[in-house]
Amino acid sequence: DASSKYKLKDLRTPLLAISAMDDPMVPCSSIPLAEARRNEYVLVVQTKYGGHIGWASSAKQADGRKWCAEWVCSNVSALI
C-alpha cells in the first residue's frame, strides 16, 4: 500500500498538503485527514474547487502569482 497514512505518524519535517475537494484524480476520501490531524508537523488545506491542480495552473492573482504561492506567502509564519 502506497498510502501516506502509514508514514504520517513518523513525519518530523513540516508538511503542507494542498488539495481540492473536486479533484477527480485524488478524491477527498483518499486524504488521511485523521492521521494528519494527529501530527503537529502536518497541515492539510482543502479547497472546495480546483480540480486536479487546477487552482495552481489557472487561478492567478492580479500580479500574476498563482493561488498556492499567494496562500503560502500569506501564511508562512503560521507554518513555522
Side-chain angles (χ1 to χ4, degrees), residues 18-28 47-53 55:
I18 304 173
S19 68
M21 296 173 126
D22 67 343
D23 187 334
M25 305 287 288
V26 183
C28 281
T47 60
K48 188 170 183 178
Y49 302 108
H52 191 67
I53 315 176
W55 40 255

Side-chain angles (χ1 to χ4, degrees), residues 5-60:
K5 75 180 191 177
Y6 303 110
K7 298 181 181 359
L8 284 179
K9 66 179 173 28
D10 299 320
L11 189 69
R12 294 297 176 261
T13 301
L15 170 70
L16 169 62
I18 304 173
S19 68
M21 296 173 126
D22 67 343
D23 187 334
M25 305 287 288
V26 183
C28 281
S29 60
S30 70
I31 308 290
L33 294 175
E35 289 79 1
R37 285 186 191 110
R38 287 188 210 115
N39 188 327
E40 65 182 325
Y41 293 93
V42 179
L43 176 61
V44 177
V45 175
Q46 290 184 304
T47 60
K48 188 170 183 178
Y49 302 108
H52 191 67
I53 315 176
W55 40 255
S57 62
S58 62
K60 292 185 179 180

Side-chain angles (χ1 to χ4, degrees), residues 14 75-80:
N75 295 283
V76 72
S77 63
L79 301 173
I80 45 178

